[in-house]
Coordinates of all heavy atoms in Angstrom, one line a residue:
R1 N -54.4 -58.9 41.6 CA -54.9 -58.9 40.3 C -56.4 -58.9 40.4 O -57.0 -59.4 41.4 CB -54.4 -60.1 39.5 CG -55.0 -61.4 39.9 CD -54.4 -62.6 39.0 NE -54.9 -63.8 39.5 CZ -56.0 -64.3 39.1 NH1 -56.8 -63.7 38.2 NH2 -56.5 -65.5 39.6
L2 N -57.1 -58.5 39.3 CA -58.5 -58.5 39.3 C -59.0 -59.9 38.8 O -58.6 -60.4 37.8 CB -59.0 -57.4 38.3 CG -60.5 -57.1 38.3 CD1 -60.9 -56.6 39.7 CD2 -60.8 -56.0 37.3
V3 N -59.8 -60.5 39.6 CA -60.3 -61.8 39.3 C -61.6 -61.8 38.4 O -61.8 -62.5 37.5 CB -60.6 -62.6 40.6 CG1 -61.3 -64.0 40.3 CG2 -59.4 -62.8 41.4
T4 N -62.5 -60.8 38.7 CA -63.7 -60.6 37.9 C -63.6 -59.3 37.2 O -63.6 -58.2 37.8 CB -64.9 -60.6 38.8 OG1 -64.8 -59.7 39.8 CG2 -65.2 -62.0 39.4
S5 N -63.5 -59.3 35.9 CA -63.4 -58.1 35.1 C -64.8 -57.6 34.6 O -65.0 -56.5 34.1 CB -62.5 -58.2 33.9 OG -62.9 -59.3 33.1
S6 N -65.8 -58.5 34.8 CA -67.2 -58.2 34.4 C -68.1 -58.7 35.5 O -67.9 -59.9 36.0 CB -67.5 -58.8 33.1 OG -68.8 -58.5 32.7
V7 N -69.0 -57.9 36.0 CA -69.8 -58.3 37.1 C -71.2 -57.7 36.9 O -71.4 -56.7 36.3 CB -69.2 -57.8 38.5 CG1 -69.2 -56.2 38.5 CG2 -70.0 -58.3 39.7
R8 N -72.2 -58.4 37.4 CA -73.6 -57.9 37.3 C -73.8 -56.8 38.4 O -73.2 -56.9 39.4 CB -74.6 -59.1 37.6 CG -74.6 -60.1 36.5 CD -75.6 -61.1 36.8 NE -75.5 -62.2 35.8 CZ -76.4 -63.1 35.6 NH1 -77.4 -63.2 36.4 NH2 -76.1 -64.1 34.7
A9 N -74.7 -55.9 38.1 CA -75.0 -54.9 39.0 C -75.6 -55.5 40.3 O -76.4 -56.4 40.2 CB -76.1 -53.9 38.4
G10 N -75.1 -55.1 41.4 CA -75.5 -55.7 42.7 C -74.6 -57.0 43.1 O -74.8 -57.5 44.1
G11 N -73.8 -57.4 42.1 CA -72.9 -58.6 42.4 C -71.7 -58.2 43.2 O -71.7 -57.1 43.9
T12 N -70.6 -59.0 43.1 CA -69.4 -58.7 43.9 C -68.2 -58.7 43.0 O -68.0 -59.7 42.3 CB -69.2 -59.7 45.0 OG1 -70.4 -59.7 45.9 CG2 -68.0 -59.5 45.8
L13 N -67.5 -57.6 43.0 CA -66.2 -57.5 42.3 C -65.1 -58.2 43.1 O -65.1 -57.9 44.4 CB -65.9 -56.0 42.1 CG -64.7 -55.7 41.2 CD1 -64.9 -56.2 39.8 CD2 -64.5 -54.2 41.2
V14 N -64.3 -59.0 42.5 CA -63.3 -59.8 43.3 C -61.9 -59.6 42.7 O -61.7 -59.6 41.5 CB -63.6 -61.3 43.3 CG1 -62.6 -62.1 44.1 CG2 -65.0 -61.6 43.8
A15 N -61.0 -59.3 43.6 CA -59.6 -59.1 43.3 C -58.8 -60.0 44.3 O -59.3 -60.5 45.3 CB -59.1 -57.7 43.5
S16 N -57.6 -60.4 43.9 CA -56.7 -61.2 44.8 C -55.5 -60.4 45.3 O -55.0 -59.5 44.5 CB -56.3 -62.5 44.1 OG -55.4 -62.2 43.1
A17 N -55.0 -60.7 46.5 CA -53.8 -60.0 47.0 C -53.1 -61.0 47.9 O -53.7 -61.8 48.6 CB -54.2 -58.7 47.8
S18 N -51.8 -60.9 47.9 CA -51.0 -61.7 48.8 C -49.7 -61.1 49.1 O -49.3 -60.2 48.4 CB -50.7 -63.1 48.1 OG -49.9 -62.9 47.0
D19 N -49.1 -61.5 50.2 CA -47.8 -61.0 50.7 C -47.1 -62.2 51.3 O -47.6 -62.7 52.3 CB -47.9 -59.8 51.6 CG -46.6 -59.3 52.1 OD1 -46.0 -58.5 51.3 OD2 -46.1 -59.7 53.1
R20 N -46.0 -62.6 50.8 CA -45.3 -63.8 51.3 C -44.6 -63.5 52.6 O -44.3 -64.4 53.4 CB -44.3 -64.3 50.3 CG -45.0 -64.9 49.1 CD -44.0 -65.4 48.1 NE -44.6 -65.5 46.8 CZ -44.0 -66.1 45.8 NH1 -42.8 -66.6 45.9 NH2 -44.6 -66.2 44.7
G21 N -44.3 -62.3 52.9 CA -43.6 -61.9 54.1 C -44.5 -61.8 55.3 O -44.8 -62.8 55.9
A22 N -44.9 -60.6 55.6 CA -45.7 -60.3 56.8 C -47.2 -60.6 56.6 O -47.9 -60.7 57.6 CB -45.5 -58.8 57.2
G23 N -47.7 -60.8 55.4 CA -49.1 -61.0 55.2 C -49.9 -59.7 55.0 O -49.5 -58.7 55.5
V24 N -51.0 -59.8 54.3 CA -51.8 -58.7 54.0 C -52.6 -58.3 55.2 O -53.2 -59.1 55.9 CB -52.8 -59.0 52.8 CG1 -53.8 -57.8 52.6 CG2 -52.0 -59.2 51.5
D25 N -52.5 -57.0 55.5 CA -53.3 -56.4 56.7 C -54.7 -56.1 56.2 O -54.9 -55.2 55.4 CB -52.6 -55.2 57.2 CG -53.3 -54.5 58.4 OD1 -54.4 -55.1 58.8 OD2 -52.8 -53.5 58.9
P26 N -55.7 -56.8 56.6 CA -57.1 -56.6 56.1 C -57.6 -55.1 56.4 O -58.4 -54.6 55.6 CB -58.0 -57.6 56.9 CG -57.0 -58.6 57.3 CD -55.7 -58.0 57.5
A27 N -57.1 -54.5 57.4 CA -57.5 -53.1 57.7 C -56.8 -52.1 56.8 O -57.2 -50.9 56.8 CB -57.1 -52.8 59.2
S28 N -55.9 -52.6 56.0 CA -55.2 -51.6 55.0 C -55.8 -51.7 53.6 O -55.2 -51.0 52.8 CB -53.7 -52.0 55.0 OG -53.5 -53.2 54.2
V29 N -56.8 -52.4 53.4 CA -57.4 -52.5 52.0 C -58.3 -51.4 51.8 O -59.3 -51.3 52.5 CB -58.0 -53.9 51.9 CG1 -58.7 -54.0 50.5 CG2 -57.0 -55.0 52.1
F30 N -58.0 -50.6 50.8 CA -58.9 -49.5 50.4 C -59.2 -49.6 48.9 O -58.3 -49.8 48.1 CB -58.2 -48.1 50.7 CG -58.0 -47.9 52.2 CD1 -56.7 -48.1 52.7 CD2 -59.0 -47.5 53.0 CE1 -56.4 -48.0 54.0 CE2 -58.7 -47.4 54.4 CZ -57.5 -47.6 54.9
A31 N -60.5 -49.4 48.6 CA -60.9 -49.5 47.2 C -61.6 -48.2 46.8 O -62.4 -47.6 47.6 CB -61.9 -50.6 47.0
Q32 N -61.3 -47.7 45.6 CA -61.9 -46.5 45.1 C -62.3 -46.8 43.6 O -61.6 -47.4 42.9 CB -60.9 -45.4 45.1 CG -61.5 -44.0 44.8 CD -60.5 -42.9 45.0 OE1 -59.3 -43.1 44.8 NE2 -60.9 -41.8 45.5
V33 N -63.5 -46.4 43.2 CA -64.0 -46.6 41.9 C -64.2 -45.2 41.2 O -64.9 -44.4 41.8 CB -65.3 -47.4 41.9 CG1 -65.9 -47.5 40.5 CG2 -65.0 -48.8 42.4
D34 N -63.6 -45.1 40.0 CA -63.8 -43.9 39.2 C -63.4 -42.6 40.0 O -64.0 -41.5 39.8 CB -65.2 -43.7 38.7 CG -65.6 -44.9 37.8 OD1 -64.7 -45.5 37.1 OD2 -66.8 -45.2 37.7
G35 N -62.5 -42.7 40.9 CA -62.0 -41.5 41.6 C -63.0 -41.0 42.7 O -62.7 -40.0 43.3
G36 N -64.0 -41.8 42.9 CA -65.0 -41.4 43.9 C -64.6 -41.7 45.3 O -63.5 -41.9 45.6
P37 N -65.6 -41.7 46.2 CA -65.3 -42.0 47.6 C -64.8 -43.4 47.8 O -65.1 -44.3 47.0 CB -66.7 -41.7 48.3 CG -67.7 -41.9 47.3 CD -67.0 -41.5 46.0
L38 N -64.2 -43.7 48.9 CA -63.8 -45.0 49.2 C -64.9 -46.0 49.3 O -66.0 -45.6 49.8 CB -63.0 -45.1 50.6 CG -61.6 -44.3 50.6 CD1 -61.0 -44.4 51.9 CD2 -60.7 -44.9 49.5
Q39 N -64.8 -47.2 48.8 CA -65.8 -48.2 48.8 C -65.5 -49.3 49.9 O -64.4 -49.5 50.3 CB -65.8 -48.9 47.4 CG -66.1 -48.0 46.3 CD -67.4 -47.4 46.3 OE1 -68.4 -48.1 46.6 NE2 -67.5 -46.1 46.1
A40 N -66.6 -49.9 50.3 CA -66.4 -51.0 51.3 C -65.7 -52.1 50.6 O -66.0 -52.5 49.5 CB -67.8 -51.5 51.7
A41 N -64.6 -52.6 51.2 CA -63.8 -53.7 50.7 C -63.4 -54.6 51.8 O -63.0 -54.2 52.8 CB -62.6 -53.2 50.0
R42 N -63.7 -56.0 51.6 CA -63.3 -56.9 52.6 C -62.2 -57.9 52.1 O -62.3 -58.3 51.0 CB -64.6 -57.8 53.0 CG -65.6 -57.0 53.7 CD -66.8 -57.9 54.1 NE -67.1 -59.0 53.1 CZ -68.1 -59.0 52.3 NH1 -69.0 -58.0 52.4 NH2 -68.3 -60.0 51.5
F43 N -61.2 -58.1 52.9 CA -60.2 -59.0 52.6 C -60.3 -60.3 53.4 O -60.3 -60.2 54.6 CB -58.8 -58.4 52.8 CG -57.7 -59.3 52.5 CD1 -57.3 -59.6 51.2 CD2 -57.0 -60.0 53.5 CE1 -56.2 -60.4 50.9 CE2 -56.0 -60.9 53.2 CZ -55.6 -61.1 51.9
R44 N -60.3 -61.4 52.7 CA -60.3 -62.7 53.5 C -59.9 -63.8 52.5 O -60.2 -63.9 51.4 CB -61.8 -63.0 53.9 CG -61.9 -64.2 54.8 CD -63.3 -64.2 55.4 NE -63.6 -65.6 55.7 CZ -64.8 -66.0 55.9 NH1 -65.8 -65.2 56.0 NH2 -65.1 -67.3 56.1
S45 N -59.0 -64.6 53.1 CA -58.5 -65.8 52.3 C -57.9 -65.4 51.0 O -58.1 -66.1 50.0 CB -59.6 -66.8 52.1 OG -60.1 -67.3 53.4
G46 N -57.1 -64.3 50.9 CA -56.5 -63.9 49.7 C -57.3 -63.2 48.7 O -56.9 -62.8 47.6
R47 N -58.6 -62.9 49.0 CA -59.5 -62.3 48.1 C -60.0 -61.0 48.7 O -60.4 -60.9 49.9 CB -60.7 -63.2 47.8 CG -60.4 -64.5 47.2 CD -59.9 -64.4 45.8 NE -59.7 -65.7 45.2 CZ -59.4 -65.9 44.0 NH1 -59.2 -64.9 43.2 NH2 -59.2 -67.1 43.6
I48 N -60.1 -60.0 47.8 CA -60.7 -58.7 48.2 C -62.1 -58.7 47.5 O -62.2 -58.8 46.3 CB -59.9 -57.5 47.7 CG1 -58.5 -57.6 48.3 CG2 -60.6 -56.2 48.0 CD1 -57.5 -56.6 47.7
R49 N -63.1 -58.4 48.3 CA -64.5 -58.4 47.7 C -65.1 -57.0 47.9 O -65.1 -56.5 49.0 CB -65.4 -59.5 48.4 CG -64.9 -60.9 48.1 CD -65.7 -61.9 48.8 NE -65.5 -63.3 48.3 CZ -64.4 -64.0 48.5 NH1 -63.4 -63.4 49.1 NH2 -64.3 -65.2 47.9
I50 N -65.6 -56.5 46.8 CA -66.2 -55.2 46.8 C -67.6 -55.3 46.2 O -67.8 -55.7 45.0 CB -65.4 -54.2 45.9 CG1 -63.9 -54.2 46.4 CG2 -65.9 -52.8 45.9 CD1 -62.9 -53.9 45.3
P51 N -68.6 -54.9 46.9 CA -70.0 -54.9 46.4 C -70.1 -54.0 45.1 O -69.6 -52.8 45.2 CB -70.9 -54.3 47.5 CG -70.1 -54.5 48.7 CD -68.6 -54.4 48.3
A52 N -70.7 -54.5 44.0 CA -70.8 -53.7 42.8 C -72.0 -52.9 42.8 O -73.0 -53.2 42.1 CB -70.7 -54.7 41.6
R53 N -72.0 -51.8 43.5 CA -73.2 -50.9 43.5 C -72.9 -49.7 42.6 O -72.9 -48.5 43.0 CB -73.4 -50.4 45.0 CG -73.7 -51.5 45.9 CD -73.9 -51.0 47.3 NE -74.1 -52.1 48.2 CZ -73.3 -52.3 49.3 NH1 -72.4 -51.4 49.6 NH2 -73.5 -53.3 50.1
F54 N -72.6 -50.0 41.4 CA -72.3 -49.0 40.4 C -73.2 -49.1 39.2 O -73.8 -50.1 38.9 CB -70.8 -49.2 39.9 CG -69.9 -49.4 41.1 CD1 -69.3 -50.6 41.3 CD2 -69.6 -48.4 42.0 CE1 -68.4 -50.9 42.3 CE2 -68.7 -48.6 43.1 CZ -68.2 -49.9 43.2
S55 N -73.3 -48.0 38.4 CA -74.1 -48.0 37.2 C -73.5 -48.9 36.2 O -72.3 -49.1 36.2 CB -74.3 -46.6 36.7 OG -73.0 -46.1 36.4
P56 N -74.3 -49.4 35.3 CA -73.8 -50.3 34.2 C -72.8 -49.5 33.4 O -72.9 -48.3 33.2 CB -75.0 -50.6 33.4 CG -76.2 -50.5 34.3 CD -75.8 -49.4 35.3
G57 N -71.8 -50.2 32.8 CA -70.8 -49.6 32.0 C -69.4 -49.9 32.5 O -69.2 -50.7 33.5
R58 N -68.4 -49.2 31.9 CA -67.0 -49.5 32.3 C -66.6 -48.5 33.5 O -67.0 -47.4 33.5 CB -66.0 -49.2 31.1 CG -66.0 -50.4 30.2 CD -65.0 -50.3 29.1 NE -63.6 -50.5 29.5 CZ -63.0 -51.6 29.9 NH1 -63.8 -52.7 30.1 NH2 -61.7 -51.6 30.1
H59 N -65.8 -49.1 34.4 CA -65.4 -48.3 35.5 C -63.9 -48.6 35.8 O -63.3 -49.6 35.3 CB -66.2 -48.7 36.8 CG -67.6 -48.4 36.7 ND1 -68.2 -47.2 36.9 CD2 -68.7 -49.2 36.3 CE1 -69.5 -47.2 36.7 NE2 -69.8 -48.4 36.3
R60 N -63.3 -47.7 36.6 CA -61.9 -47.9 36.9 C -61.7 -48.1 38.4 O -62.2 -47.3 39.2 CB -61.1 -46.6 36.6 CG -59.6 -46.7 36.7 CD -59.1 -47.2 35.4 NE -57.6 -47.2 35.4 CZ -56.9 -48.1 34.8 NH1 -57.5 -49.0 34.1 NH2 -55.6 -48.0 34.8
L61 N -61.1 -49.2 38.8 CA -60.9 -49.6 40.2 C -59.5 -49.3 40.6 O -58.5 -49.6 39.9 CB -61.2 -51.1 40.4 CG -60.8 -51.7 41.8 CD1 -61.7 -51.2 42.8 CD2 -60.8 -53.2 41.7
T62 N -59.3 -48.7 41.8 CA -58.0 -48.4 42.4 C -58.0 -49.1 43.7 O -58.9 -48.8 44.6 CB -57.7 -46.9 42.5 OG1 -57.8 -46.3 41.2 CG2 -56.3 -46.7 43.1
L63 N -57.1 -50.0 44.0 CA -56.9 -50.7 45.2 C -55.6 -50.3 45.9 O -54.6 -50.2 45.2 CB -56.9 -52.2 45.0 CG -58.2 -52.9 44.7 CD1 -57.9 -54.4 44.4 CD2 -59.2 -52.8 45.9
S64 N -55.6 -50.1 47.2 CA -54.4 -49.8 48.0 C -54.4 -50.9 49.0 O -55.3 -51.0 49.8 CB -54.5 -48.4 48.6 OG -53.4 -48.2 49.4
V65 N -53.3 -51.6 49.1 CA -53.2 -52.8 50.0 C -51.8 -52.7 50.7 O -50.8 -52.5 50.0 CB -53.3 -54.1 49.3 CG1 -53.2 -55.3 50.3 CG2 -54.7 -54.1 48.6
S66 N -51.7 -52.9 52.0 CA -50.4 -52.9 52.7 C -50.3 -54.2 53.5 O -51.3 -54.9 53.7 CB -50.4 -51.7 53.7 OG -50.5 -50.5 53.1
D67 N -49.1 -54.5 53.9 CA -48.9 -55.7 54.7 C -48.8 -55.3 56.2 O -48.8 -54.1 56.5 CB -47.6 -56.5 54.3 CG -46.3 -55.8 54.5 OD1 -46.3 -54.7 55.1 OD2 -45.3 -56.3 54.1
Y68 N -48.7 -56.2 57.0 CA -48.7 -56.0 58.5 C -47.4 -55.2 58.9 O -47.4 -54.5 59.9 CB -48.7 -57.3 59.3 CG -50.1 -57.8 59.4 CD1 -50.5 -59.0 58.6 CD2 -51.1 -57.3 60.2 CE1 -51.7 -59.5 58.7 CE2 -52.4 -57.8 60.3 CZ -52.7 -58.9 59.5 OH -53.9 -59.5 59.6
Q69 N -46.4 -55.2 58.1 CA -45.1 -54.6 58.4 C -45.2 -53.1 58.2 O -44.4 -52.3 58.8 CB -44.0 -55.2 57.6 CG -42.6 -54.7 58.0 CD -42.2 -55.0 59.5 OE1 -42.6 -56.1 60.0 NE2 -41.4 -54.2 60.1
E70 N -46.1 -52.6 57.3 CA -46.1 -51.2 56.9 C -46.1 -50.2 58.0 O -45.4 -49.2 58.0 CB -47.3 -51.0 55.9 CG -47.4 -49.5 55.5 CD -46.3 -49.1 54.5 OE1 -45.6 -50.0 54.0 OE2 -46.0 -47.9 54.4
S71 N -47.0 -50.5 59.0 CA -47.1 -49.6 60.1 C -45.8 -49.5 61.0 O -45.6 -48.6 61.8 CB -48.3 -50.0 61.0 OG -48.0 -51.3 61.6
K72 N -44.9 -50.5 60.8 CA -43.7 -50.4 61.6 C -42.5 -49.8 60.8 O -41.5 -49.5 61.4 CB -43.3 -51.9 62.0 CG -44.3 -52.6 62.8 CD -43.9 -54.0 63.1 CE -45.0 -54.7 63.8 NZ -44.7 -56.1 64.0
N73 N -42.7 -49.5 59.5 CA -41.7 -48.9 58.7 C -41.4 -47.5 59.1 O -42.3 -46.8 59.5 CB -42.0 -49.0 57.2 CG -41.7 -50.3 56.7 OD1 -41.1 -51.2 57.3 ND2 -42.1 -50.5 55.4
M74 N -40.2 -47.0 58.9 CA -39.9 -45.6 59.1 C -39.5 -45.1 57.7 O -38.4 -45.3 57.2 CB -38.7 -45.5 60.0 CG -39.0 -46.1 61.4 SD -37.6 -46.0 62.6 CE -36.2 -45.7 61.7
E75 N -40.5 -44.5 57.1 CA -40.4 -44.0 55.7 C -39.2 -43.0 55.5 O -38.8 -42.9 54.4 CB -41.7 -43.4 55.2 CG -42.9 -44.4 55.3 CD -42.7 -45.6 54.4 OE1 -42.0 -45.6 53.5 OE2 -43.4 -46.6 54.8
N76 N -38.8 -42.4 56.5 CA -37.7 -41.4 56.4 C -36.3 -42.0 56.6 O -35.3 -41.3 56.6 CB -38.0 -40.2 57.3 CG -38.0 -40.6 58.7 OD1 -38.1 -41.8 59.0 ND2 -38.0 -39.6 59.6
A77 N -36.2 -43.3 56.8 CA -34.9 -44.0 57.0 C -34.5 -44.6 55.7 O -35.3 -45.1 55.0 CB -35.1 -45.0 58.1
A78 N -33.2 -44.6 55.5 CA -32.6 -45.2 54.3 C -32.8 -46.7 54.3 O -32.8 -47.4 55.4 CB -31.1 -44.9 54.3
R79 N -32.9 -47.3 53.1 CA -33.0 -48.7 52.9 C -34.3 -49.4 53.5 O -34.4 -50.6 53.6 CB -31.8 -49.5 53.5 CG -30.6 -49.1 52.8 CD -29.4 -49.9 53.3 NE -28.3 -49.6 52.5 CZ -27.7 -50.5 51.6 NH1 -28.2 -51.7 51.5 NH2 -26.7 -50.1 50.9
I80 N -35.3 -48.6 53.9 CA -36.6 -49.1 54.3 C -37.6 -48.9 53.1 O -37.7 -47.7 52.7 CB -37.1 -48.4 55.6 CG1 -36.1 -48.5 56.7 CG2 -38.5 -48.9 55.9 CD1 -36.0 -49.9 57.3
L81 N -38.1 -49.9 52.6 CA -39.0 -49.8 51.5 C -40.5 -49.8 51.9 O -40.9 -50.5 52.8 CB -38.8 -51.0 50.5 CG -37.4 -51.0 49.9 CD1 -37.3 -52.3 49.1 CD2 -37.1 -49.8 49.1
P82 N -41.3 -49.0 51.3 CA -42.7 -49.0 51.6 C -43.4 -50.4 51.2 O -43.0 -51.0 50.2 CB -43.3 -47.9 50.8 CG -42.4 -47.6 49.7 CD -41.0 -48.0 50.2
N83 N -44.3 -50.8 52.0 CA -44.9 -52.1 51.7 C -46.4 -52.0 51.3 O -47.2 -52.8 51.7 CB -44.8 -53.0 53.0 CG -43.4 -53.3 53.3 OD1 -42.6 -53.6 52.4 ND2 -43.0 -53.3 54.6
T84 N -46.7 -50.9 50.6 CA -48.0 -50.6 50.1 C -48.0 -50.7 48.6 O -47.2 -50.2 48.0 CB -48.5 -49.2 50.6 OG1 -48.5 -49.2 52.0 CG2 -49.9 -49.0 50.0
T85 N -49.0 -51.4 48.1 CA -49.1 -51.5 46.6 C -50.4 -50.9 46.2 O -51.5 -51.0 46.9 CB -49.2 -53.0 46.2 OG1 -48.0 -53.6 46.5 CG2 -49.4 -53.2 44.7
V86 N -50.3 -50.1 45.1 CA -51.5 -49.5 44.5 C -51.7 -50.2 43.2 O -50.8 -50.2 42.4 CB -51.4 -48.0 44.4 CG1 -52.6 -47.4 43.7 CG2 -51.2 -47.3 45.8
F87 N -52.9 -50.7 43.0 CA -53.3 -51.4 41.7 C -54.5 -50.8 41.1 O -55.4 -50.4 41.8 CB -53.6 -52.9 42.1 CG -54.2 -53.7 41.0 CD1 -53.4 -54.2 40.1 CD2 -55.5 -53.9 41.0 CE1 -53.9 -55.0 39.0 CE2 -56.1 -54.7 40.0 CZ -55.3 -55.2 39.0
T88 N -54.4 -50.6 39.8 CA -55.6 -50.1 39.1 C -56.0 -51.0 37.9 O -55.1 -51.7 37.3 CB -55.3 -48.7 38.5 OG1 -54.2 -48.8 37.6 CG2 -55.1 -47.7 39.5
A89 N -57.3 -51.1 37.7 CA -57.8 -52.0 36.6 C -59.2 -51.5 36.2 O -59.9 -50.9 37.0 CB -57.8 -53.5 37.1
S90 N -59.5 -51.8 35.0 CA -60.9 -51.5 34.5 C -61.8 -52.7 34.7 O -61.3 -53.9 34.6 CB -60.8 -51.1 33.0 OG -60.1 -50.0 32.9
F91 N -63.1 -52.5 34.9 CA -64.0 -53.6 35.0 C -65.4 -53.1 34.4 O -65.6 -51.9 34.2 CB -64.2 -54.1 36.4 CG -64.9 -53.1 37.4 CD1 -66.2 -53.1 37.6 CD2 -64.1 -52.1 38.0 CE1 -66.8 -52.2 38.5 CE2 -64.7 -51.2 38.9 CZ -66.0 -51.3 39.1
T92 N -66.2 -54.0 34.1 CA -67.5 -53.7 33.5 C -68.7 -54.2 34.4 O -68.6 -55.3 34.9 CB -67.7 -54.3 32.1 OG1 -66.6 -53.9 31.3 CG2 -69.0 -53.9 31.4
V93 N -69.7 -53.3 34.6 CA -70.9 -53.7 35.3 C -71.9 -53.9 34.2 O -72.2 -53.0 33.4 CB -71.3 -52.6 36.3 CG1 -72.7 -53.0 36.9 CG2 -70.3 -52.4 37.4
R94 N -72.6 -55.1 34.2 CA -73.6 -55.4 33.2 C -75.0 -55.1 33.8 O -75.2 -55.1 34.9 CB -73.5 -56.9 32.9 CG -72.2 -57.3 32.2 CD -72.1 -58.8 32.0 NE -71.5 -59.3 33.2 CZ -71.8 -60.5 33.8 NH1 -72.8 -61.2 33.2 NH2 -71.3 -60.9 34.8

């Protein structure tokens, strides 16, 4: 979920992520804003932090997060579910 829906320019956008099973793989966290290039995103202690280096106004955040088990899954086998979540939300830079 998005923790900060409004952030000052140069501040930090914060989202939260958790996985009760295998745990969130920090290397699997990818952030994209307004469909542009991937943004730097750090995961630590259940929080995803993204530097808000965007122009003032409304923007659309897309996060992709996987757990540690994802790399072990065989996507072409029956009854194996993907462990990647894609989340989108709007936020405002002031």
Side-chain angles (χ1 to χ4, degrees):
R1 76 179 177 86
L2 192 58
V3 176
T4 55
S5 59
S6 180
V7 64
R8 291 182 188 192
T12 302
L13 188 63
V14 180
S16 67
S18 64
D19 181 83
R20 294 182 197 187
V24 174
D25 179 0
S28 76
V29 176
F30 298 100
Q32 190 175 35
V33 175
D34 298 332
L38 293 179
Q39 300 295 316
R42 293 185 323 254
F43 177 81
R44 187 169 151 193
S45 301
R47 302 287 184 178
I48 299 169
R49 290 175 170 73
I50 304 151
R53 298 181 188 125
F54 315 109
S55 61
R58 282 188 70 71
H59 298 277
R60 188 90 173 145
L61 171 68
T62 302
L63 286 174
S64 175
V65 181
S66 301
D67 68 6
Y68 282 106
Q69 186 63 32
E70 180 67 20
S71 63
K72 298 176 185 175
N73 279 351
M74 299 177 346
E75 303 297 339
N76 59 350
R79 297 183 172 248
I80 303 288
L81 298 175
N83 296 317
T84 299
T85 297
V86 176
F87 170 79
T88 57
S90 295
F91 68 95
T92 304
V93 175
R94 297 176 270 142

